[in-house]
Amino acid sequence: MINEKTRLKQVVEILKQKLKENKSQTKSYQEQLKAGIKSQAENYNEISRGNDLSNSFTQLELLEDGLEEKQLEEKRLKLQVNSPYFARIDFLTDNNKTLQHIYIGIGSIINNKTLYAIDWRAPVASMYYDYNLGDAQYKIEDVVYRGTIELKRQFKIENGTLISFFDTDLTINDDILQDILSNNVSVKMKQIVSSIQKEQNAIVRNDTNENMLVQGIAGSGKTSIALHRAAYLLYKHRKTIKSNDITIISPNNIFSSYISEVLPQLGENNLVETTFAQIVRIELKKSVESREEMLDEIATTPTQDKLNEVSYKSSYEYLDDLLRFLKGPYVETFSPQNLSYVVSETLDGERETIDFPAEQTKELFFKTFKGFDIYERINKIAWQYAKYFTERRHYSKEQNKGLIERFKKILYRFLPVRDVEKVFEIFMAREGYECKSTKSIKYMDKGTWLLIKHYIYGKEHEYSAKYLIIDEMQDFTPVDIYMFKKIWTCPMIVVGDVYQCIEKNVTDEYLNITADFLGCKLLKLNKTYRSTKEIAKFASDMVGLNNIEFVNRSGKEPKVIVTDNQIQEIKNIIENECQNREHIAIICKCQKEAHNLYNSLKTIMECKLLVEPEDYDNRVLITSCATAKGIEFDAVIIPNCDQSNYKNAIDKNIIYVSSTRALHELFFTCSSTPSRFIKGAIVEKK
């Protein structure tokens, strides 16, 4: 019989000793690195004369890698000292009838060849997530190990002290899951290794070569699953994939900050994070309208013409029309001229020339290299033409590079219109849309601008990655998705929720087309873990979602308060009904509404307008729906929810997304008749 308290104390002491040894090793690496840099600086001339410069740099790089590894190990050890493991399974193998006591934590713990805990990502740990008591199996490469799970135990350990444990025959004990979900939200997204569900685990550990598109309803944990998949890949392919080899495309900087602690909580370094708008800014050297600004315009002045344009630009039909235009009418404007170069001249005036007739250039451009983008055709022709000079020894191989660039400039002049903005305007005019020149690229047009630029000139920067995570898939247009394929050729996981798309309605057919287009396997998550059953059911009913599963966690029904003084009522809700809540969001329809409410509310209570990532640390936040998407709060208040303010399909989408941000409590305030979209809530008049 294992005494869990005694065992835990022993493991914590082992970890503390390992942490002490790690600090000593880290200090040694730091001293060696410092000495190496100093030596190289002082003896640079001697080292370079002896041709040992590359060897010297290699030694320093090895020391830097060693130091980084020790620093990462230190982070993991500190986490493990606090909680060495979170579960135990006793597994009786079929072959040798040996009962294994398997403890599972965020990392393996080995001391004197004894294994005290295994990493949650190890193959044997998958049984914890996938099986109840009884028959179970795990797989290592092609070998399957079968047996029986005799015991399943889950621990609550804090600061190295055993708080409690549960024995259960379920995958995740409901009491533990309830305890996790009932807590107030953290200002950063937390890791969920102790509560990953079977369907989530299948995505995290997917060992096929398939790309995945995960459609997950609000609160299904899709973003967290994608991040845990990244952690799994870092473990499984630790020799070939590092954290900076994985890129995540986030909706905005606030969301990036919100998810920034998940990987560090798992003992891994953070991934490379960027937004698609940032890539467009880098490539086009032009600012991009934010999604918040675009949604503000649609939410406040939703003209039919604007909605039709958004719908068109959100379709695969638009992508097809754009590609047909570029590969047809536009590319056909390429009109080459005869090129002739004098390479030598005798005293008698006889000249030797190298000639490239217009027909030859046209043949190469339109036939030989027909299947390529314009920049690739021009690169290939320039390389081929420059090669003539090198072969005749008029240019050296070194000079050839400059000659290629000169030829490219000449060839580009054969395109009458080369400016990306002008090409965009011509295309839109053909489609019946008027474009006004603006300082920034419109949000809906950012993918189009990048596609045009890429088709004509290629990309200026490399965005290399070995794995790609795309979040909030529903917010991207087919043109954006096309560019993801152009920029990255690595495996990917794409996650999103079509029901949280504000500016357009997305169908199952669109999902299937997108999955096929990206070469992804489409997976669906229909169980929500975020909100109470009352909030989740209210939100689902609003948009007509069926077949949704809820965690059996009850709370208060959503409430609508009709009042002549919404500002004072919001203050009352926060002080009286949410006094035990640590993170409260007042989610407005648009940024203008959020600013106006903030200016009124800040005079009577402490609150913060959510603008920068650091603002998220405040208890009471005022924000717009577009900014809050993807983030969760203990309580949500949606103001000005009158029928006159929330009346159309876009307004309904805004209420749905805003409502699904709430974990425990949801309130609406209005000054007149409540919006018809919140008829399922309790109404209280004051």
Side-chain angles (χ1 to χ4, degrees):
M1 192 68 150
I2 297 173
N3 185 312
E4 298 291 8
K5 283 191 175 180
T6 302
R7 185 185 191 279
L8 176 61
K9 187 177 179 181
Q10 179 189 7
V11 175
V12 169
E13 288 304 314
I14 289 170
L15 288 167
K16 285 180 177 177
Q17 181 58 37
K18 284 184 174 293
L19 188 57
K20 186 178 177 181
E21 291 169 2
N22 174 275
K23 287 181 177 179
S24 175
Q25 292 165 350
T26 300
K27 186 178 179 181
S28 175
Y29 270 110
Q30 288 171 332
E31 289 172 351
Q32 289 180 64
L33 186 59
K34 186 178 178 181
I37 293 170
K38 183 181 178 183
S39 173
Q40 190 184 73
E42 290 175 347
N43 304 292
Y44 184 82
N45 289 334
E46 287 183 34
I47 295 170
S48 59
R49 276 198 299 269
N51 296 319
D52 289 332
L53 201 56
S54 61
N55 186 47
S56 176
F57 277 120
T58 300
Q59 289 175 340
L60 290 179
E61 285 172 5
L62 289 172
L63 287 171
E64 286 175 344
D65 290 344
L67 177 60
E68 185 182 342
E69 193 176 312
K70 287 298 169 188
Q71 289 170 334
L72 186 60
E73 184 184 346
E74 182 181 351
K75 288 180 189 176
R76 191 178 293 117
L77 285 168
K78 285 179 178 178
L79 292 168
Q80 289 177 302
V81 167
N82 179 61
S83 181
Y85 39 81
F86 55 82
R88 165 187 161 190
I89 54 174
D90 288 0
F91 184 63
L92 185 66
T93 57
D94 283 349
N95 290 341
N96 52 20
K97 296 297 181 183
T98 302
L99 185 66
Q100 303 173 56
H101 306 298
I102 303 166
Y103 288 78
I104 304 166
I106 64 163
S108 297
I109 302 170
I110 304 171
N111 191 55
N112 294 329
K113 297 182 180 180
T114 300
L115 182 64
Y116 290 90
I118 62 162
D119 195 298
W120 67 277
R121 296 164 288 189
V124 68
S126 65
M127 293 190 294
Y128 166 71
Y129 302 104
D130 292 340
Y131 295 99
N132 299 333
L133 293 181
D135 293 343
Q137 64 182 46
Y138 65 96
K139 186 176 180 181
I140 299 178
E141 294 180 350
D142 294 327
V143 181
V144 177
Y145 298 86
R146 294 180 174 84
T148 308
I149 295 177
E150 303 273 309
L151 178 140
K152 200 161 193 181
R153 179 168 290 174
Q154 295 159 36
F155 300 95
K156 185 175 182 180
I157 300 171
E158 294 176 0
N159 298 319
T161 302
L162 182 62
I163 307 299
S164 62
F165 65 82
F166 294 84
D167 287 348
T168 178
D169 63 347
L170 302 174
T171 304
I172 303 294
N173 185 286
D174 197 51
D175 291 336
I176 286 185
L177 189 58
Q178 292 276 19
D179 181 53
I180 292 168
L181 298 176
S182 297
N183 290 332
N184 282 328
V185 69
S186 166
V187 295
K188 302 285 186 182
M189 182 184 279
K190 295 178 180 178
Q191 53 93 346
I192 58 167
V193 288
S194 63
S195 62
I196 292 173
Q197 303 296 295
K198 184 176 181 179
E199 72 276 11
Q200 297 172 328
N201 187 51
I203 297 171
V204 170
R205 294 175 187 265
N206 187 328
D207 285 332
T208 69
N209 292 323
E210 289 179 309
N211 295 327
M212 292 179 284
L213 191 159
V214 180
Q215 156 58 34
I217 62 165
S220 58
K222 53 192 172 292
T223 299
S224 192
I225 291 167
L227 293 169
H228 284 69
R229 173 149 182 80
Y232 174 74
L233 293 171
L234 289 171
Y235 170 83
K236 187 178 181 188
H237 304 288
R238 50 193 175 275
K239 291 182 180 178
T240 55
I241 296 181
K242 303 297 181 188
S243 57
N244 58 8
D245 292 323
I246 303 178
T247 295
I248 178 168
I249 309 294
S250 296
N252 54 53
N253 292 333
I254 291 171
F255 184 78
S256 295
S257 175
Y258 174 60
I259 65 173
S260 63
E261 286 302 309
V262 174
L263 270 297
Q265 287 169 7
L266 295 170
E268 301 289 354
N269 286 326
N270 261 322
L271 315 176
V272 176
E273 291 184 46
T274 188
T275 66
F276 188 45
Q278 284 175 331
I279 291 172
V280 175
R281 279 195 292 270
I282 290 170
E283 289 293 321
L284 274 301
K285 300 176 180 63
K286 194 175 173 78
S287 61
V288 179
E289 178 189 42
S290 69
R291 179 167 175 78
E292 289 80 1
E293 290 169 327
M294 182 273 289
L295 288 176
D296 272 11
E297 183 183 351
I298 290 176
T300 54
T301 55
T303 65
Q304 194 57 51
D305 285 347
K306 183 65 181 174
L307 294 177
N308 289 343
E309 184 179 340
V310 168
S311 178
Y312 176 48
K313 290 179 178 177
S314 301
S315 68
Y316 279 94
E317 177 190 357
Y318 175 81
L319 172 62
D320 290 341
D321 290 343
L322 176 60
L323 291 174
R324 268 196 296 267
F325 164 71
L326 290 174
K327 295 179 179 181
Y330 176 68
V331 80
E332 286 164 9
T333 64
F334 183 79
S335 302
Q337 298 173 11
N338 294 327
L339 298 174
S340 183
Y341 298 91
V342 178
V343 292
S344 66
E345 186 173 1
T346 66
L347 293 174
D348 297 333
E350 291 184 10
R351 295 179 173 182
E352 180 189 355
T353 62
I354 295 180
D355 300 307
F356 304 108
E359 284 304 314
Q360 180 181 343
T361 305
K362 192 179 277 189
E363 177 82 13
L364 289 169
F365 188 87
F366 288 108
K367 292 185 178 179
T368 308
F369 304 125
K370 181 181 179 181
F372 296 98
D373 291 350
I374 285 175
Y375 78 94
E376 293 173 298
R377 301 188 201 193
I378 286 177
N379 285 348
K380 289 176 181 296
I381 295 170
W383 181 86
Q384 191 162 314
Y385 283 2
K387 188 180 174 186
Y388 281 106
F389 287 83
T390 309
E391 287 174 345
R392 298 194 187 185
R393 299 184 181 179
H394 293 296
Y395 277 82
S396 66
K397 288 184 179 179
E398 290 72 24
Q399 292 171 318
N400 184 275
K401 292 178 183 177
L403 188 58
I404 289 172
E405 292 304 313
R406 283 163 59 190
F407 267 120
K408 282 164 63 175
K409 286 181 181 178
I410 292 166
L411 291 166
Y412 269 115
R413 290 185 194 137
F414 299 152
L415 279 169
V417 181
R418 301 182 294 278
D419 180 74
V420 173
E421 185 171 7
K422 292 294 182 186
V423 176
F424 171 69
E425 288 174 357
I426 292 168
F427 168 67
M428 292 307 295
R430 286 170 60 94
E431 300 304 311
Y433 294 93
E434 182 183 352
C435 285
K436 294 179 182 177
S437 184
T438 56
K439 289 184 179 179
S440 63
I441 301 168
K442 289 288 187 181
Y443 177 83
M444 292 299 296
D445 298 330
K446 63 187 185 305
T448 303
W449 279 63
L450 187 58
L451 193 158
I452 293 170
K453 192 263 180 184
H454 185 275
Y455 185 71
I456 300 172
Y457 298 106
K459 60 181 187 286
E460 292 180 30
H461 302 81
E462 284 301 319
Y463 305 92
S464 59
K466 293 181 179 177
Y467 197 79
L468 180 68
I469 300 171
I470 301 173
D471 205 352
E472 299 293 349
M473 164 272 301
Q474 72 280 354
D475 293 346
F476 296 110
T477 69
V479 177
D480 299 337
I481 293 167
Y482 175 87
M483 287 313 301
F484 292 148
K485 285 182 67 175
K486 280 285 187 180
I487 296 170
W488 292 281
T489 57
C490 59
M492 68 178 73
I493 181 170
V494 183
V495 299
D497 178 14
V498 294
Y499 303 109
Q500 291 185 64
C501 193
I502 294 171
E503 71 276 17
K504 58 184 183 286
N505 290 321
V506 183
T507 62
D508 281 344
E509 183 186 8
Y510 178 90
L511 262 181
N512 291 323
I513 291 171
T514 302
D516 288 342
F517 184 70
L518 286 171
C520 288
K521 181 178 182 181
L522 178 60
L523 303 165
K524 294 185 178 182
L525 297 173
N526 294 320
K527 188 170 184 179
T528 178
Y529 299 92
R530 176 184 295 141
S531 307
T532 61
K533 189 173 181 178
E534 289 76 9
I535 294 172
K537 189 174 187 310
F538 165 81
S540 299
D541 289 346
M542 186 194 311
V543 293
L545 274 179
N546 300 316
N547 303 319
I548 301 302
E549 295 181 58
F550 313 105
V551 172
N552 191 25
R553 182 172 71 87
S554 293
K556 298 176 183 177
E557 293 284 350
K559 184 190 288 187
V560 183
I561 300 173
V562 185
T563 173
D564 291 335
N565 191 340
Q566 290 191 64
I567 300 299
Q568 184 59 49
E569 191 53 46
I570 289 170
K571 182 175 185 287
N572 293 341
I573 292 170
I574 293 168
E575 291 181 347
N576 300 323
E577 304 212 42
C578 300
Q579 68 266 34
N580 296 322
R581 300 304 176 194
E582 295 176 6
H583 222 42
I584 302 162
I586 304 163
I587 304 179
C588 300
K589 183 176 181 179
C590 61
Q591 289 179 313
K592 183 180 178 181
E593 185 182 283
H595 278 87
N596 290 340
L597 190 141
Y598 170 68
N599 289 331
S600 299
L601 193 63
K602 71 178 181 180
T603 61
I604 61 171
M605 69 172 296
E606 191 173 331
C607 57
K608 188 73 176 179
L609 192 67
L610 182 56
V611 179
E612 301 294 338
E614 54 267 25
D615 297 333
Y616 187 72
D617 294 344
N618 291 270
R619 178 174 180 255
V620 179
L621 291 169
I622 301 172
T623 184
S624 68
C625 173
T627 302
K629 194 157 74 161
I631 306 174
E632 55 188 31
F633 304 90
D634 294 320
V636 165
I637 303 168
I638 303 175
N640 302 314
C641 214
D642 305 73
Q643 174 59 29
S644 59
N645 194 31
Y646 287 94
K647 55 184 180 293
N648 58 38
I650 288 174
D651 298 334
K652 180 172 73 171
N653 293 342
I654 291 173
I655 295 179
Y656 173 73
V657 172
S658 299
S659 298
T660 56
R661 303 305 94 209
L663 273 79
H664 310 296
E665 294 177 89
L666 175 61
F667 301 90
F668 301 89
T669 67
C670 57
S671 55
S672 60
T673 304
S675 168
R676 61 190 173 93
F677 301 127
I678 56 173
K679 61 184 178 182
I682 296 170
V683 179
E684 182 180 315
K685 294 184 179 180
K686 291 192 177 181

